[in-house]
Every structure is written in structure tokens, then in C-alpha cells.
């Protein structure tokens, strides 16, 4: 199956899949001043990542089942 997702969205989803990422880390690392570069928002809108509150730890960004499938389909299987 050919994957046609934006390469930056794939990079972002792969980065999130490698380790738990706090919401603050995601915002800091993927911040941009360009209103047309919305990688993190695009990945969330497409259902590849989601925010999840973890008791005592705060808000984290996690890869969804759809995001994991995207990575597998693109040959970017992570751990």
C-alpha cells in the first residue's frame, strides 16, 4: 500500500512513537512561526496522535492506532 502522508507528518508521528512526549515538549520542539507549517496540528487532525492526561505526570501526546498503522504502512515501524 502506498502511503501519501506529508513527510513531515510522518517524521512527527515517528518521533512521538519513539518515546513518551509531554505536551510541553511537543510544543517546544515542533514550534514554528509559519502559519502554513502545521505538522503537529495536522497529525492530530488526521487522528495519528492524541493528547492524553496521565495522572500525576501531566498532558502527553501519544501515537494512536491509526498513527501506528501509518508508520507500518510507510515502512517506519518503531520499536
Amino acid at each position: 500500500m502506498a502511503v501519501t502522508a506529508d513527510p513531515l507528518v510522518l517524521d512527527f508521528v515517528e518521533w512521538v512513537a519513539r518515546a513518551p512526549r509531554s505536551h510541553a515538549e511537543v510544543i517546544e520542539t515542533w514550534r514554528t512561526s509559519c502559519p502554513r507549517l502545521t505538522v503537529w496540528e495536522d497529525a492530530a487532525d488526521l487522528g495519528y496522535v492524541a493528547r492524553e492526561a496521565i495522572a500525576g505526570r501531566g498532558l502527553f501526546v501519544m501515537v494512536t492506532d491509526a498513527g501506528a498503522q501509518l508508520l507500518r504502512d510507510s515502512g517506519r515501524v518503531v520499536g
Side-chain angles (χ1 to χ4, degrees):
M1 177 176 162
V3 176
T4 58
D6 182 309
L8 281 176
V9 170
L10 280 168
D11 289 347
F12 175 75
V13 174
E14 181 179 36
W15 178 77
V16 171
R18 286 188 179 146
R21 306 293 181 173
S22 71
H23 185 263
E25 179 183 11
V26 170
I27 297 301
E28 178 67 26
T29 303
W30 289 84
R31 179 186 332 177
T32 178
S33 60
C34 177
R36 291 185 174 188
L37 187 59
T38 57
V39 175
W40 132 253
E41 292 89 350
D42 292 347
D45 289 347
L46 292 166
Y48 299 143
V49 298
R51 286 170 274 209
E52 182 178 322
I54 298 177
R57 295 192 62 208
L59 193 58
F60 279 73
V61 177
M62 312 291 216
V63 173
T64 63
D65 290 341
Q69 186 64 52
L70 174 72
L71 293 175
R72 285 190 295 276
D73 290 348
S74 68
R76 296 186 186 203
V77 178
V78 176

